[in-house]
Amino acid sequence: MTERNVPLLDLRAQYRSLKPELDAAVMRVAESQRFILGDEVAAFEKEIAEYLEVPYALGVSSGTDALLLSLMALGVGPGDEVIVPTLSFFATAGVVSRLHATPVFVDIDPVSFNIDPGVLEQAITSRTRAVIPVHLFGQAADMKAIMEIAQAHDLHVVEDAAQAIGVRCGDGRFAGTIGTTGCFSFFPSKNLGCFGDGGLVITRDPGLYHRMKIMRVHGGEPKYYHKIIGGNFRLDALQAAVLRVKLPRLEDWSRRRRENAHNYNRLFIEAGLAEEPGRTTFDERNAVLLPKEIHADAQPGLYHIYNQYSIRVEKRDKVMQYLRERNVGCEIYYPVPFHRQECFADIPSAGGSFPVADEVARTILSIPVYPEMTKDMQRYVVETIAEAVHA
Ligand SMILES: *Cc1c(COP(=O)(O)O)cnc(C)c1O
């Protein structure tokens, strides 16, 4: 097997393919010397709102701030409870605690890795104000079931779509466009990444949009007159200019990620490491558990955009060691569920039992799936994993 170098993500390859346009966009902002909001941000907001088929989009400073601003604008605060899946990036729960509200952890589904609607309803109390479903790894949570429960209990739904821009839910609508707000991140490792930090919050509610827009600039309206308290949650003009170049390429990149994912599935099955996607238990013929596209058979569309292609392996430490020694990037998303985080030790729900999240955290492993990677590289990755499993 020829040695190769396969990073988890190759941002330079993407930059090379768009360099003249990206450099021109950055220079355009430099020439204008207009760095804060202005035409670039407004134009990007219009373009991405059209793409996502929503009336309102607000560029913000990060995905974390999109979540924080949503909860602030909805008035979530002390005494309130917000339900979150216990396995996600830290921000999903962190923003709740920062507002002195209480995150309530619930378990995830073993196939989709998303919040399990079956346990969501049991977590609702008279204090519950909102739920934050996460579209983890780029596959939509079960929004139909979640919205039914939320509506029955009068809860806000703040969608954490940080890893899921451009993915469709079962009914064909975009993830992030169904709840009260949808929150996106343009962190460089997301499918649509900028040159630093950036984020977006979308909504269909004009009142909420205007409130968030004012809160994005400290809550002053008019400037220096404050009825409400906000923060500095602005997207930079430079980032907006970069994102305007990349947005038209997003679907193509997501399609290539999907092709890579499907190719991986085939390679793992051919190598005798797995029988089919979506298995949840290990045995001799399933040393590797493959991710499954829940709506693969629905109408044509992007039902998983593979921000991460995440397999599960029993001997994870060994597999990671083999991959790293052979120059293949890999990462654990996420090694510690919220209920086991030290900072949440005093949260009442942290004492609960979350067997699926625990088992997923023990075995999950994300491997390279970026659009520019070659079939050869994928073969090398699967061969390396096979070696580790059989060692
Ligand atoms: C990346 C991410 C965030 C936070 O986005 P930032 O832009 O890094 O603040 C929130 N939730 C999830 C699930 C993420 O993957």
Side-chain angles (χ1 to χ4, degrees):
M1 195 162 49
T2 333
E3 274 284 321
R4 282 169 209 285
N5 192 352
V6 191
L8 186 57
L9 177 66
D10 187 355
L11 286 174
R12 283 207 199 90
Q14 189 192 75
Y15 178 51
R16 273 196 300 273
S17 74
L18 290 174
K19 185 170 162 44
E21 285 167 79
L22 286 168
D23 291 358
V26 170
M27 287 314 293
R28 185 174 70 229
V29 178
E31 289 293 341
S32 79
Q33 289 293 300
R34 293 202 57 190
F35 300 116
I36 304 298
L37 298 178
D39 297 345
E40 291 288 348
V41 172
F44 171 65
E45 288 172 342
K46 184 166 170 288
E47 287 157 14
I48 199 152
E50 273 168 22
Y51 170 65
L52 291 172
E53 300 159 0
V54 286
Y56 307 109
L58 207 56
V60 295
S61 29
S62 68
T64 304
D65 285 344
L67 292 165
L68 184 66
L69 179 59
S70 294
L71 295 182
M72 283 173 75
L74 292 169
V76 169
D80 293 337
E81 292 178 355
V82 177
I83 299 173
V84 300
T86 191
L87 198 74
S88 177
F89 179 64
F90 183 76
T92 311
V95 291
V96 178
S97 289
R98 284 171 63 187
L99 294 174
H100 306 286
T102 305
V104 174
F105 309 127
V106 295
D107 212 350
I108 56 168
D109 175 87
V111 177
S112 70
F113 307 125
N114 286 322
I115 195 166
D116 179 354
V119 292
L120 171 59
E121 192 143 34
Q122 300 158 29
I124 296 171
T125 73
S126 58
R127 292 168 177 266
T128 311
R129 290 285 314 282
V131 53
I132 308 182
V134 180
H135 307 298
L136 202 67
F137 302 143
Q139 172 151 256
D142 185 351
M143 288 307 293
K144 187 166 179 286
I146 293 163
M147 291 308 289
E148 272 169 22
I149 296 167
Q151 274 152 10
H153 295 269
D154 203 18
L155 308 180
H156 296 298
V157 177
V158 173
E159 290 181 67
D160 184 340
Q163 301 182 5
I165 189 153
V167 77
R168 296 194 186 265
C169 299
D171 64 0
R173 284 186 293 173
F174 282 114
T177 68
I178 296 161
T180 320
T181 70
C183 303
F184 299 86
S185 166
F186 304 126
F187 185 80
S189 70
K190 313 292 179 173
N191 282 28
L192 181 62
C194 61
F195 284 3
D197 279 307
L200 183 82
V201 55
I202 59 174
T203 184
R204 297 180 185 280
D205 178 337
L208 187 59
Y209 166 72
H210 288 292
R211 192 171 165 81
M212 291 194 294
K213 192 171 181 178
I214 293 165
M215 291 177 98
R216 178 171 69 172
V217 285
H218 296 288
E221 170 69 1
K223 209 173 179 181
Y224 308 126
Y225 293 80
H226 297 258
K227 284 200 202 85
I228 46 178
I229 299 169
N232 175 354
F233 299 130
R234 296 182 294 254
L235 178 70
D236 284 341
L238 264 171
Q239 305 303 351
V242 166
L243 289 162
R244 292 181 68 196
V245 173
K246 291 192 179 190
L247 178 60
R249 273 77 178 195
L250 174 64
E251 288 220 334
D252 181 47
W253 289 330
S254 297
R255 230 172 258 125
R256 277 148 72 183
R257 283 173 179 272
R258 282 167 68 81
E259 278 170 27
N260 291 344
H262 298 160
N263 190 48
Y264 264 137
N265 288 349
R266 200 164 41 239
L267 290 171
F268 278 115
I269 292 167
E270 278 169 17
L273 295 172
E275 288 183 302
E276 62 185 348
R279 290 270 177 137
T280 55
T281 48
F282 297 103
D283 59 41
E284 323 78 270
R285 281 184 293 177
N286 294 277
V288 173
L289 305 181
L290 306 177
K292 183 183 165 83
E293 261 175 59
I294 311 288
H295 296 290
D297 305 326
Q299 54 197 304
L302 302 178
Y303 290 96
H304 197 326
I305 54 158
Y306 294 98
N307 178 244
Q308 300 298 339
Y309 178 87
S310 303
I311 58 171
R312 288 169 58 196
V313 280
E314 187 87 67
K315 292 188 261 175
R316 185 175 63 190
D317 287 351
K318 182 139 183 218
V319 171
M320 286 185 75
Q321 187 200 329
Y322 267 66
L323 287 170
R324 288 192 169 150
E325 278 170 3
R326 286 156 182 76
N327 298 315
V328 177
C330 58
E331 200 57 71
I332 300 172
Y333 300 119
Y334 295 91
V336 186
F338 296 146
H339 67 274
R340 295 193 183 277
Q341 293 287 357
E342 214 174 307
C343 67
F344 293 137
D346 296 335
I347 303 282
S349 71
S353 159
F354 308 93
V356 180
D358 280 337
E359 177 63 6
V360 170
R362 186 181 73 82
T363 54
I364 198 94
L365 185 65
S366 301
I367 58 176
V369 72
Y370 60 92
E372 296 83 3
M373 83 181 297
T374 63
K375 295 266 186 309
D376 243 23
M377 288 169 156
Q378 290 195 278
R379 253 193 309 278
Y380 177 70
V381 173
V382 173
E383 280 169 22
T384 304
I385 293 171
E387 247 187 85
V389 166
H390 295 130

